[in-house]
């Protein structure tokens, strides 16, 4: 039995779908702070199965105790966390408590029950503003905001856990920029507030919910001056978690592994691909740089290829087509 924390969120729900389709037995724990219970119905519609669900907080030892005493948990895929960079600057205590205290509570119950396998959601944000792309896992880490710092601290904690007890097996998956949606168009990323990230914003301009995309800077040293990122299809990312689960089942250690495509695309290339996929125009204007942004960020994916036997399958056009199908469906319902 696998415990999936944050399993109703954007990446978690896509991973749960892939797991159910591979006949993995799983339990979801989510406090719905950034997701909706209806996602469980959508998972059911896609897979014809309904995973066990506990509504609760990873910081609550009682619910964790209940789960571990009711089920033989073999491994934890740990998505639960808060992820908005800007919000983390304004609410550092809330972010550190949720992400770090939450992870410590999960580790405590795992230790108590002898469960020593974890797949953790880290982030390319731990590379900070290193200008040397592609990012390799052995680079020095640095962070520029409480969200990123929380991921970096958790990575350190997990490495220490392994050092103290080498029976542990942990992968620290450093995601680059997940976008796209399941091909059913039923699950995807649909933030309630005005989106901070590029793709949800572009989607809302294409549907007409927002007027115009602000492109944050066109004077970077990149092919067209706009920021370059390694966008990765969320279903590829989900597939990467199944490979990571295989890996932790068979190898002890604490390994940081990048999950990206290894290719970078600029903001304007994304806008163009999205226009093609949606057959709509995406209004944009160039504005000043967003503080904290870097010019280019993309992954070295050699380690994921080698250790996990995992490669991203989907290209930018597919990511935009799938993102658009989901955005269109959601907008039709409003
Ligand atoms: P998300 O917000 O859609 O999903 C996170 C889920 O965790 C949500 O369903 C939320 O309700 C739940 N949750 C949050 N705090 C919780 C708590 N204390 N107890 C129980 N449930 C809780 O985010 P996502 O995009 O699916 O990200 C999943 C993980 O991957 C996060 O840890 C995030 O930091 C990390 N990550 C995301 C990205 C990205 O761009 N989406 C990139 C790198 C890393
Ligand atoms: C992508 C590009 C922007 C919005 C963030 C987090 C990172 C990780 C992934 C969790 C940049 C440009 C964006 C807009 C724009 N999350 N942009 N107009 O900043 O690479 O990464 O999400 O771990 O930690 O920092 O992603 O989607 O915000 O930006 O021009 O309205 O799009 O400047 O070049 P980012 P993003």
């Amino acid at each position: 039995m696998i415990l999936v924390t944050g399993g109703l969120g954007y990446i978690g729900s896509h991973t749960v779908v892939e797991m159910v389709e591979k006949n993995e037995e799983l339990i979801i724990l989510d406090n719905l702070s950034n997701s909706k219970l209806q996602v469980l119905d959508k998972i059911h519609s896609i897979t014809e199965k309904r995973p066990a669900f506990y509504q609760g907080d990873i910081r609550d030892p009682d619910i964790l105790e209940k789960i571990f005493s009711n089920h033989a948990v073999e491994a934890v895929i740990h998505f639960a966390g808060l992820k908005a960079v800007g919000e983390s600057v304004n609410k550092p205590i809330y972010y550190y408590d949720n992400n770090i205290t939450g992870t410590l509570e999960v580790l405590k119950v795992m230790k108590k029950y002898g469960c020593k396998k974890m797949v953790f959601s880290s982030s390319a944000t731990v590379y900070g503003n290193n200008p040397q792309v592609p990012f390799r896992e052995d680079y020095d880490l640095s962070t520029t905001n409480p969200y990123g710092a929380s991921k970096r601290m958790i990575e350190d904690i997990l490495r220490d856990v392994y050092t103290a007890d080498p029976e542990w097996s942990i992968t620290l998956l450093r995601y680059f920029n997940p976008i796209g949606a399941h091909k059913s168009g039923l699950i995807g990323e649909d933030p309630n507030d005005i989106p901070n990230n590029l793709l949800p914003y572009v989607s809302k301009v294409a549907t007409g919910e927002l007027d115009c995309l602000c492109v944050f800077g066109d004077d970077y040293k990149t092919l067209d001056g706009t920021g370059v990122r390694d966008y990765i299809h969320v279903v590829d990312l989900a597939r990467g978690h199944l490979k990571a689960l295989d890996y932790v089942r068979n190898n002890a250690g604490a390994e940081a592994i990048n999950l990206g495509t290894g290719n970078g695309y600029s903001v304007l290339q994304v806008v163009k691909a999205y226009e093609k996929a949606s057959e709509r125009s995406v209004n944009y204007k160039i504005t000043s740089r967003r503080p904290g942004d870097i010019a280019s960020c993309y992954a070295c994916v050699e380690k994921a290829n080698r250790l996990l036997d995992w490669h991203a399958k989907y290209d930018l056009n597919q990511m935009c087509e799938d993102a658009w199908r989901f955005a269109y469906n959601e907008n039709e319902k409003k």
Side-chain angles (χ1 to χ4, degrees):
M1 185 67 79
I2 310 297
L3 171 62
V4 184
T5 72
L8 293 188
Y10 174 47
I11 306 169
S13 58
H14 288 82
T15 304
V16 165
V17 165
E18 296 300 305
M19 290 173 75
V20 172
E21 286 175 347
K22 288 268 177 344
N23 294 317
E24 288 285 356
E25 302 261 325
L26 63 98
I27 311 150
I28 297 171
L29 170 63
D30 199 305
N31 67 358
L32 304 181
S33 60
N34 198 33
S35 53
K36 300 190 181 87
L37 195 52
Q38 291 89 298
V39 173
L40 206 53
D41 298 330
K42 310 262 181 75
I43 292 171
H44 184 220
S45 305
I46 296 169
T47 64
E48 295 176 0
K49 286 190 190 141
R50 185 179 291 273
F53 173 64
Y54 288 77
Q55 182 173 342
D57 199 295
I58 54 169
R59 289 164 296 181
D60 175 2
D62 294 341
I63 195 149
L64 291 170
E65 180 63 36
K66 193 167 159 194
I67 292 171
F68 276 74
S69 59
N70 284 343
H71 308 271
V73 178
E74 176 205 356
V76 177
I77 304 188
H78 181 30
F79 293 105
L82 298 170
K83 64 166 181 176
V85 171
E87 187 184 49
S88 79
V89 174
N90 297 322
K91 299 180 179 172
I93 299 170
Y94 176 52
Y95 266 67
Y96 287 124
D97 182 46
N98 196 86
N99 294 2
I100 296 179
T101 312
T103 301
L104 288 172
E105 290 302 332
V106 172
L107 288 169
K108 281 191 231 169
V109 75
M110 288 175 73
K111 182 169 163 27
K112 177 173 173 195
Y113 283 86
C115 169
K116 298 181 179 179
K117 298 179 175 65
M118 177 183 270
V119 176
F120 171 64
S121 301
S122 188
S123 167
T125 195
V126 298
Y127 295 112
N129 39 26
N130 190 329
Q132 228 188 320
V133 280
F135 293 155
R136 293 174 47 93
E137 289 86 349
D138 55 8
Y139 279 6
D140 287 343
L141 306 182
S142 68
T143 45
T144 53
N145 56 72
Y147 166 70
S150 76
K151 291 291 175 191
R152 193 172 150 210
M153 289 178 201
I154 295 168
E155 284 205 6
D156 283 341
I157 292 169
L158 294 176
R159 275 186 284 266
D160 289 344
V161 166
Y162 167 69
T163 304
D165 177 356
E167 283 182 7
W168 277 78
S169 179
I170 303 167
T171 54
L172 315 166
L173 300 181
R174 294 180 181 158
Y175 315 150
F176 280 67
N177 290 57
I179 62 168
H182 189 262
K183 62 179 182 316
S184 62
L186 289 174
I187 53 174
E189 188 176 25
D190 186 24
N192 291 331
D193 300 330
I194 298 199
N196 301 308
N197 297 113
L198 180 63
L199 248 285
Y201 205 106
V202 167
S203 291
K204 286 190 189 295
V205 175
T207 58
E209 289 166 85
L210 293 171
D211 289 339
C212 180
L213 170 74
C214 292
V215 175
F216 299 141
D218 67 349
D219 56 352
Y220 288 106
K221 282 194 182 136
T222 59
L223 71 166
D224 57 20
T226 64
V228 165
R229 297 291 182 274
D230 187 340
Y231 297 95
I232 173 165
H233 198 299
V234 66
V235 173
D236 271 332
L237 205 59
R239 290 175 41 250
H241 288 75
L242 285 169
K243 294 287 195 173
L245 188 57
D246 272 355
Y247 188 84
V248 296
R249 280 178 167 147
N250 294 305
N251 304 273
E255 290 288 348
I257 305 176
N258 289 338
L259 292 184
T261 64
N263 302 311
Y265 288 98
S266 73
V267 176
L268 294 182
Q269 286 176 312
V270 171
V271 168
K272 205 165 274 170
Y274 204 96
E275 286 182 324
K276 186 165 163 242
S278 62
E279 299 178 343
R280 304 227 175 157
S281 66
V282 173
N283 237 337
Y284 71 85
K285 63 176 182 216
I286 307 290
T287 61
S288 52
R289 291 182 180 193
R290 181 172 64 178
D293 272 355
I294 54 175
S296 290
C297 166
Y298 53 93
C300 167
V301 289
E302 184 274 327
K303 192 169 177 185
N305 298 167
R306 181 166 44 87
L307 293 192
L308 303 183
D309 184 29
W310 171 89
H311 299 78
K313 290 201 292 206
Y314 299 113
D315 65 13
L316 182 63
N317 292 328
Q318 190 69 54
M319 298 179 214
C320 291
E321 277 171 32
D322 293 339
W324 170 242
R325 186 180 306 110
F326 174 74
Y328 181 84
N329 286 348
E330 289 299 298
N331 189 46
E332 285 292 288
K333 286 191 244 153
K334 285 174 187 159

